[in-house]
């Protein structure tokens, strides 16, 4: 299934994409795509519904993030060996964990907002793992039982805030509209192997990133297992699993986003995003 949320920010309704690519309204069946709805039993109830009988959503509504109620937005740094190399850093012996504020979350086509004082706003196409079932101390063998599905994220980053000022990475990762998610939550039954997905990103039509989840250092199952040893993962939590090479930081000379530019990105089977770059007011 391809699950989504549509409507104005803060007033999104749950929906599902039918076989023809038409949005169907799920609000008569579930209150939102959050909490227990993302549990295997909740997703099974949606799967049993006659999608063709659900109300059609007319027009071209804004898409919001495909899940609501996210408690944790967990990011994995340097999880592609070639990206670590372009960043001038070693592959870590364990996953590097940092958090992105949930207030950064926005829809897949909402603009990238360059914050005040920024000179180094960068792009990062990433595979997001959406938790559907509570995970605490889970084994790697059982980890995938706790995954609801997958989505695209753009882990937008302000590199000067992230690395050139004192403290941790969080403040360079958490500005408003630095966390586009979507367009859909694609349930895991539609993704044969999350470690074999092509991914790409362009700026103004020029290809910047062209990689594959196949080159991840730590795969999805290991990350869910690993994180669950340190914190309980809850339905709606997002794990953004790292980016392949091609970010602006790694270019010579470095290249960063400017107002008026357009970023497009996609992952095989998960759709694509398009974002206008604007300056914060």
């Amino acid at each position: 299934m391809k699950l989504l949320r549509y409507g104005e920010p803060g007033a999104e309704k749950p929906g599902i994409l039918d076989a023809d690519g038409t949005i169907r309204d799920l609000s008569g069946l579930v209150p939102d795509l959050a909490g227990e709805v993302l549990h295997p039993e909740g997703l099974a109830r949606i799967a049993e519904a006659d999608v063709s009988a659900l109300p059609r959503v007319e027009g071209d509504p804004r898409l919001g993030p495909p899940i609501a109620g996210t408690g944790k937005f967990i990011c994995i740094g340097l999880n592609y060996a070639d990206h670590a190399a372009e960043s001038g850093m070693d592959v870590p012996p364990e996953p590097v964990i940092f958090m992105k504020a949930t207030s950064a979350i926005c829809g897949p086509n909402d603009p990238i907002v360059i914050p005040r004082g920024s000179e180094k706003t960068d792009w990062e196409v990433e595979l997001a793992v959406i938790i559907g079932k509570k995970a605490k101390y889970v084994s790697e063998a059982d980890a995938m039982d706790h995954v609801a599905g997958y989505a695209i994220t753009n882990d937008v980053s302000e590199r000067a805030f992230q690395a050139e000022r004192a403290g941790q990475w969080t403040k360079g990762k958490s500005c408003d509209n630095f966390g586009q998610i979507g367009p859909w939550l694609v349930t895991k039954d539609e993704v044969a192997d999350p470690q074999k997905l092509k991914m790409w990103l362009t700026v103004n039509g020029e290809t910047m990133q062209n990689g594959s989840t196949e080159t991840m250092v730590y795969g999805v199952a290991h990350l869910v297992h690993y994180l669950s040893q340190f914190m309980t993962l809850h339905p709606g939590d997002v794990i953004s699993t790292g980016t392949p090479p091609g970010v602006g930081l790694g270019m010579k000379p470095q290249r960063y986003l400017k107002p008026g530019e357009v970023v497009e990105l996609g992952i095989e089977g998960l759709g694509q995003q398009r974002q206008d770059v604007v300056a914060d007011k």
Side-chain angles (χ1 to χ4, degrees):
M1 297 182 291
K2 292 181 174 66
L3 304 174
L4 55 92
R5 297 170 68 250
Y6 67 95
E8 294 305 306
E12 294 96 343
K13 293 182 177 181
I16 187 171
L17 210 64
D18 70 15
D20 297 325
T22 300
I23 298 175
R24 301 281 181 160
D25 182 22
L26 276 177
S27 59
L29 189 63
V30 297
D32 210 340
L33 297 174
E36 292 301 309
V37 174
L38 300 174
H39 195 274
E41 285 78 4
L43 294 177
R45 284 193 292 273
I46 297 174
E48 291 167 0
D50 180 2
V51 173
S52 64
L54 297 172
R56 294 170 58 99
V57 176
E58 302 297 336
D60 186 23
R62 168 192 173 268
L63 296 180
I67 66 307
T70 295
K72 293 188 286 297
F73 195 161
I74 308 164
C75 299
I76 308 300
L78 306 173
N79 198 29
Y80 288 70
D82 35 13
H83 171 58
E86 75 171 351
S87 302
M89 303 175 107
D90 295 331
V91 173
E94 295 186 38
V96 171
I97 302 170
F98 63 92
M99 309 297 279
K100 186 185 280 276
T102 55
S103 57
I105 295 173
C106 59
N109 303 316
D110 289 347
I112 293 171
V113 180
I114 297 180
R116 291 183 184 178
S118 167
E119 296 180 353
K120 297 183 178 181
T121 296
D122 205 349
W123 56 82
E124 293 189 15
V125 59
E126 303 199 6
L127 172 69
V129 179
I130 312 299
I131 298 298
K133 178 182 173 183
K134 180 179 174 181
K136 183 175 183 178
Y137 300 131
V138 300
S139 68
E140 188 163 341
D142 294 334
M144 299 305 291
D145 295 340
H146 299 264
V147 173
Y150 306 96
I152 303 165
T153 55
N154 192 355
D155 176 22
V156 184
S157 310
E158 212 297 333
R159 302 301 189 186
F161 295 179
Q162 175 187 352
E164 297 174 21
R165 298 175 65 172
Q168 298 178 335
W169 290 1
T170 302
K171 63 178 173 288
K173 297 285 190 171
S174 296
C175 303
D176 293 345
N177 286 53
F178 268 27
Q180 286 82 1
I181 306 178
W184 319 302
L185 161 61
V186 179
T187 51
K188 65 182 177 185
D189 58 291
E190 291 200 8
V191 179
D193 187 348
Q195 305 307 150
K196 290 187 178 179
L197 301 177
K198 295 178 181 178
M199 54 204 309
W200 56 270
L201 181 145
T202 67
V203 178
N204 303 329
E206 179 183 355
T207 298
M208 300 297 181
Q209 294 184 274
N210 185 16
S212 169
T213 59
E214 198 166 7
T215 63
M216 272 188 197
V217 178
Y218 302 104
V220 170
H222 181 78
L223 291 173
V224 173
H225 151 71
Y226 181 83
L227 291 168
S228 77
Q229 309 308 305
F230 304 102
M231 63 191 82
T232 302
L233 304 176
H234 294 277
D237 284 351
V238 176
I239 305 169
S240 200
T241 57
T243 197
V247 299
L249 173 69
M251 294 183 175
K252 294 180 173 45
Q254 294 177 346
R255 183 204 187 302
Y256 296 108
L257 293 171
K258 298 179 179 61
E261 295 187 311
V262 175
V263 177
E264 295 178 274
L265 56 150
I267 298 180
E268 182 180 1
L270 305 185
Q272 63 185 67
Q273 303 180 352
R274 181 192 184 281
Q275 294 128 20
D276 294 319
V277 181
V278 302
D280 206 353
K281 297 178 181 178

